[in-house]
Amino acid sequence: MAPESSAPLLNGQPWLSIVGIGEDGLAGLGELARQAITEADFVFGGKRHLDLAGDAIRGESRPWPQPFDSAMLAILTLRGHKVCVLASGDPFFFGVGVTLARQLSKQDYRVFPAPSAFSLAASRLGWALQEIETVSLHGRALDLIRPLLHPGRKVIALTSDADGPAQLAKLLTEAGFGTSRLTVLEALGGAREKTRSTLASDFSLTGIDPLNVVALEVQAEATARVLPLGFGLPDDLFEHDGQITKREIRAVTLSALSPRRGELLWDIGAGSGSIGIEWMLAHPSMQAMAIEHHSERAARIRRNAQNFGVPALQLIEGRAPDALAGLPEPDAIFIGGGGSGDGVLQAALTTLKPGGRLVANAVTLEMEQVLLNAHSQWGGSLTRLSIDRAEPVGRMTGWRPAMPVTQWIFSRGLNP
């Protein structure tokens, strides 16, 4: 229940304040942020946040429930009362502010951000934020760091807990980046602030504060697993059983799919998952669903997604077209070279969004006939792709042709 002193808010007046607070507590807040805390009937936050702001809290303190309520129902039910939410640093940089904003209108809340852990770390190191990579590994898969590991680059990563730096050092060492320098910055902005540095392969730091970020100066060994930018990654980076869209064809295929930020791809008959994985590597906002009925290949897709740092790749185990039922509408669809017949193609075409693209490859005569029929009925473009590779012929070298690929590209118009 709300305190009896709570005054009703006028229509259109923000009822929620989101205050970013650092390890320096109230001392680091401006007057308006302090006032928002003091005037609130209810103040939400982690126990640490509530302790930092304790001297300013006059209303009821409410620690976050365990497990965390991502729907924020406890806050939303208090609409009309003065509510304050405390967050670490900048609430809109991997913070709780993003979660709240998705469920509220801009008129419902006001925000008082503080410097993020990334900003504080960059200022301590003298690094230009716009020239480095930043990633949150807090409550997220450590593998997300993998696409960022390019020699000579700098990365700042927010970890989940005191074990995060050691786990990150282990991943780097196993992936061939053991000579990279790790700087662990702990409890930034507070009395417990500490900075320590070591090579990943020599990591032995102990007593690390749970509040930490790790700054990486990436160095690669000869065996390092570097994931290049661009399409057409080497085939041997993927675990596969031969069911993989080969490197050169994959590059052409992804170019035809024309990835755009935030889009969803269906990879039907995903095999090793290579198309969906490279689609997701194009930008952090990309989404992909790999549809694969073969259980062993599905397991490989999971492992590949982990090793390429795209653990959010969604795997749908089933056979198309039945497995496509109920899936969110895609912006782009790829159907692999083995093909699944006219039924899959028809089902895919009916779900494609306006402005969406479909690319289908054929290596069999039967699937090629399906694409010829589709081209005749729907239009689009047909291309024949042929790759020859130099290989030994006795003690000499000759060209050995790979199976030719027929590729059909179709784009759905924006207007019906």
Side-chain angles (χ1 to χ4, degrees):
M1 296 180 60
E4 294 182 0
S5 60
S6 177
L9 298 178
L10 298 175
N11 289 337
Q13 181 179 346
W15 57 272
L16 174 65
S17 297
I18 306 173
V19 176
I21 189 168
E23 286 301 288
D24 52 357
L26 295 174
L29 299 182
E31 181 179 346
L32 291 178
R34 287 173 176 243
Q35 184 179 341
I37 298 172
T38 300
E39 293 181 352
D41 301 321
F42 300 91
V43 181
F44 288 80
K47 183 180 183 304
R48 177 176 60 87
H49 299 137
L50 295 172
D51 289 343
L52 288 168
D55 290 343
I57 297 175
R58 301 290 180 267
E60 180 180 331
S61 294
R62 291 198 175 181
W64 293 125
Q66 298 295 330
F68 185 72
D69 176 20
S70 58
M72 299 290 175
L73 295 178
I75 294 173
L76 299 180
T77 56
L78 294 173
R79 181 188 297 271
H81 298 292
K82 292 181 179 179
V83 180
C84 179
V85 170
L86 301 176
S88 296
D90 185 346
F92 278 80
F93 198 35
F94 299 108
V96 71
V98 177
T99 305
L100 286 165
R102 288 177 180 144
Q103 304 180 66
L104 299 169
S105 70
K106 294 179 181 178
Q107 291 71 37
D108 287 324
Y109 61 88
R110 53 182 181 163
V111 186
F112 304 93
S116 69
F118 298 103
S119 294
L120 291 172
S123 69
R124 302 299 191 266
L125 297 166
W127 291 3
L129 268 176
Q130 73 274 13
E131 297 175 359
I132 66 174
E133 305 289 349
T134 59
V135 61
S136 175
L137 305 177
H138 183 78
R140 306 170 77 203
L142 205 64
D143 294 306
L144 291 169
I145 198 76
R146 295 182 186 271
L148 307 181
L149 300 177
H150 285 194
R153 298 296 296 171
K154 296 177 179 178
V155 183
I156 297 179
L158 178 66
T159 74
S160 290
D161 50 37
D163 295 329
Q167 294 170 354
L168 186 55
K170 182 174 183 291
L171 182 152
L172 290 168
T173 301
E174 292 176 349
F177 297 92
T179 54
S180 298
R181 179 158 295 279
L182 276 68
T183 300
V184 182
L185 301 101
E186 307 167 53
L188 284 166
R192 306 190 317 278
E193 180 173 327
K194 183 189 302 183
T195 299
R196 291 181 280 176
S197 184
T198 180
L199 296 184
S201 58
D202 297 336
F203 193 93
S204 60
L205 303 181
T206 60
I208 296 174
D209 194 288
L211 298 173
N212 67 79
V213 296
V214 177
L216 307 179
E217 297 171 76
V218 182
Q219 296 296 325
E221 299 159 21
T223 58
R225 183 182 168 85
V226 179
L227 303 179
L229 298 176
F231 298 138
L233 296 177
D235 295 344
D236 58 10
L237 284 178
F238 295 88
E239 181 185 346
H240 64 89
D241 60 357
Q243 187 73 12
I244 183 174
T245 303
K246 298 300 190 292
R247 178 179 189 171
E248 298 86 355
I249 303 299
R250 193 181 334 122
V252 174
T253 298
L254 283 155
S255 176
L257 286 166
S258 302
R260 301 166 189 173
R261 285 175 170 81
E263 288 190 328
L264 170 64
L265 169 76
W266 284 2
D267 181 2
I268 301 176
S272 66
S274 62
I275 292 288
I277 286 170
E278 289 207 34
W279 171 277
M280 292 190 68
L281 286 173
H283 191 265
S285 66
M286 307 303 284
Q287 304 171 68
M289 307 185 90
I291 296 93
E292 175 57 59
H293 76 278
H294 193 289
S295 60
E296 290 185 10
R297 288 173 183 160
R300 288 192 189 95
I301 291 171
R302 289 193 182 93
R303 293 193 292 271
N304 278 328
Q306 175 183 337
N307 290 332
F308 279 87
V310 289
L313 175 71
Q314 298 181 62
L315 177 62
I316 309 299
E317 288 196 58
R319 189 185 296 273
D322 293 342
L324 307 180
L327 300 183
E329 289 185 338
D331 300 284
I333 299 174
F334 172 64
I335 301 176
S340 302
D342 186 62
V344 171
L345 187 60
Q346 292 290 339
L349 285 169
T350 60
T351 59
L352 192 62
K353 287 182 180 179
R357 291 85 59 207
L358 183 148
V359 177
N361 291 349
V363 295
T364 65
L365 293 176
E366 290 78 8
M367 186 60 184
E368 184 176 84
Q369 187 60 54
V370 171
L371 299 189
L372 291 172
N373 294 339
H375 180 256
S376 176
Q377 180 178 357
W378 296 92
S381 65
L382 276 174
T383 305
R384 195 84 182 279
L385 304 171
S386 180
I387 303 294
D388 293 352
R389 296 185 177 87
E391 295 185 6
V393 179
R395 290 185 293 179
M396 309 291 283
T397 304
W399 293 107
R400 189 176 299 279
M403 292 183 68
V405 175
T406 300
Q407 183 173 90
W408 181 55
I409 303 172
F410 173 78
S411 298
R412 185 178 297 286
L414 293 173
N415 298 317

